[in-house]
């Protein structure tokens, strides 16, 4: 009976980065690991530890396993490998806006791809992952690492990944409640004003330009948003207070991470204020009766990777 295993590590991500709704995303130094074994015999076993383990389905609904099956079908290997073992070690908080579903999708696709002989390149994995997730802004940084700019062009995702010339630290304030992306998308209006569109186009552009050129001055207003955060603030009690607290403690800016509820502050590394910013954010959440913890993260520069063959 044929049996093959592989281990992959995939970074968590923060999408939108403020103004880049559904288009910008970064990879962070927090990881989920998958050890995948494929077997000829049907049936799948799950061994999941770490963040959110008790809330992750351990059957055919599991998103890692569904992504594995998705890839095997495209590789015409679904009959050859009908079952397997999924071992996950998770650091990325579940359903908090740090890309936990993207890491699961990318981990499943990447691991299965290696086990079928790397039939697909990273650009093709991006298409598969985007189709499963629905938008590219989390899956792209999970695949490529770095800061990514992502567009959809005639149904295909295109992603540009780069390493910013400004050395940043990210401070994630992670509240102790879940928020589903579906709910956080339902509160958004279908139409936005021209004024709000201009607000975001300018900030999103200046954010990318300033990071590429290493210009810190222009970053101070570049993380602001008018297209999604104002509507989502009612889902995250104290969001605006936490943003203000982060800035007062020295952050360049703060954003809703993905669809939330995690909030992400951006700090210049040379300011050495990440811990202070984290404490201020947690305190501001506490004043709004929300328990939270903070994580100080760096940019992940490599994206999804194989740990051993
Ligand atoms: N861009 C997405 C959103 C990220 O904000 O809804 C969440 O997956």
């Amino acid at each position: 009976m044929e049996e093959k295993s592989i281990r992959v590590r995939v970074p968590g991500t923060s999408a939108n980065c403020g103004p880049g709704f559904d288009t910008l995303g970064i990879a962070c130094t927090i990881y989920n690991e998958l050890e995948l074994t494929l077997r000829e015999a049907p049936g799948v076993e799950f061994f999941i530890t770490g963040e959110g383990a008790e809330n992750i389905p351990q059957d055919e609904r599991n998103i890692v396993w569904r992504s594995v099956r998705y890839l095997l079908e495209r590789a015409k290997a679904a009959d050859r490998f009908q079952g397997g073992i999924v071992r996950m070690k998770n650091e990325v908080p579940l359903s908090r806006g740090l890309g936990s579903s993207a890491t699961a999708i990318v981990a499943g696709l990447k691991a299965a791809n290696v086990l079928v002989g790397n039939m697909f390149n990273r650009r093709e994995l991006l298409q598969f992952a985007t189709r499963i997730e629905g938008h590219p802004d989390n899956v792209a940084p999970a695949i490529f690492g770095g800061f990514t700019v992502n567009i959809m062009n005639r149904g295909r995702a295109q992603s540009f990944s780069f390493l910013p010339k400004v050395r940043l630290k990210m401070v994630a304030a992670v509240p102790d409640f879940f928020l589903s992306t579906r709910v956080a998308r339902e509160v958004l209006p279908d139409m936005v004003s021209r004024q709000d569109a201009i607000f975001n186009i300018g900030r999103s552009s200046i954010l990318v330009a300033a990071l590429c050129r290493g210009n810190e001055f222009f970053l101070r207003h570049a993380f602001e948003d008018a297209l999604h955060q104002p509507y989502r603030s009612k889902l995250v009690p104290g969001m605006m207070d936490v943003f203000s607290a982060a800035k007062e403690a020295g952050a360049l800016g703060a954003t809703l991470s993905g669809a939330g509820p995690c909030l992400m502050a951006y700090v210049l590394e040379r300011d050495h204020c990440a811990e202070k910013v984290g404490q201020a954010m947690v305190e501001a959440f506490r004043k709004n009766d929300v328990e939270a913890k903070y994580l100080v993260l760096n940019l992940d520069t490599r994206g999804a990777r194989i740990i051993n063959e």
Side-chain angles (χ1 to χ4, degrees):
M1 287 287 256
E2 195 182 0
E3 185 171 302
K4 287 174 154 189
S5 294
I6 188 78
R7 274 171 69 206
V8 297
R9 178 180 292 153
V10 184
T13 58
S14 183
N16 304 327
C17 305
F21 179 68
D22 276 0
T23 57
L24 300 181
I26 55 165
C28 300
T29 51
I30 185 167
Y31 300 95
N32 283 353
E33 273 182 30
L34 165 67
E35 182 179 334
L36 175 68
T37 301
L38 289 182
R39 288 174 173 158
E40 288 177 15
V44 52
E45 294 173 75
F46 294 88
F47 300 93
I48 303 175
T49 57
E51 285 285 341
E54 60 288 354
N55 292 304
I56 296 174
Q58 305 200 9
D59 52 34
E60 303 284 331
R61 292 168 303 163
N62 180 279
I63 185 80
V64 173
W65 185 246
R66 283 201 281 129
S67 304
V68 169
R69 298 303 303 165
Y70 187 97
L71 189 123
L72 293 178
E73 273 155 28
R74 262 121 214 104
K76 308 218 177 319
D79 291 338
R80 186 168 135 219
F81 295 114
Q82 296 190 29
I85 308 172
V86 169
R87 281 197 175 82
M88 293 287 304
K89 212 161 73 186
N90 293 342
E91 283 179 5
V92 180
L94 192 71
S95 291
R96 301 299 214 298
L98 287 171
S100 58
S101 71
T103 65
I105 293 166
V106 170
L109 293 174
K110 173 101 184 166
N113 191 41
V114 177
L115 294 182
V116 297
N118 281 311
M119 269 184 152
F120 304 102
N121 63 28
R122 292 199 299 178
R123 302 263 154 224
E124 289 164 316
L125 294 186
L126 173 68
Q127 305 313 321
F128 298 159
T130 302
R131 256 172 252 151
I132 298 170
E133 173 92 329
H135 38 85
D137 52 346
N138 279 310
V139 293
I143 293 172
F144 298 110
F147 189 104
T148 63
V149 183
N150 311 289
I151 60 166
M152 293 303 294
N153 184 28
R154 300 197 178 107
R156 284 184 69 80
Q158 291 185 350
S159 293
F160 177 85
S161 165
F162 69 96
L163 300 181
K165 284 201 179 149
V166 180
R167 292 188 74 90
L168 293 174
K169 285 210 175 277
M170 276 70 70
V171 185
V174 189
D176 69 349
F177 66 91
F178 299 128
L179 181 55
S180 93
T181 300
R182 184 184 54 75
V183 170
R185 290 180 87 83
E186 275 170 9
V187 298
L188 302 179
D190 290 333
M191 307 292 284
V192 297
S193 71
R194 180 186 306 179
Q195 193 185 338
D196 287 348
I198 293 169
F199 184 98
N200 271 53
I201 292 167
R203 279 161 180 77
S204 183
S205 306
I206 219 162
L207 175 57
V208 174
L211 289 176
C212 282
R213 287 290 294 269
N215 186 314
E216 294 169 9
F217 173 79
F218 284 110
L219 288 177
R220 297 213 175 259
H221 293 285
F223 293 99
E224 295 165 351
D225 162 74
L227 294 186
H228 66 111
Q229 293 179 175
Y231 306 100
R232 288 171 160 177
S233 65
K234 62 183 174 210
L235 303 174
V236 185
M239 183 169 108
M240 293 305 177
D241 293 344
V242 178
F243 286 174
S244 303
K247 287 191 93 163
E248 274 162 32
L252 292 168
T255 70
L256 184 67
S257 185
C262 176
L263 304 182
M264 187 71 93
Y266 293 81
V267 169
L268 287 175
E269 196 176 281
R270 65 171 165 72
D271 283 346
H272 300 290
C273 61
E275 298 292 335
K276 191 175 158 205
V277 167
Q279 286 157 11
M281 293 171 86
V282 166
E283 184 53 31
F285 258 136
R286 191 171 297 131
K287 283 186 183 149
N288 283 276
D289 299 321
V290 175
E291 279 307 310
K293 64 176 180 183
Y294 73 90
L295 305 166
V296 177
L297 306 169
N298 291 306
L299 190 75
D300 170 89
T301 57
R302 292 174 55 197
R305 68 208 70 160
I306 298 160
I307 309 179
N308 72 331
E309 296 269 358

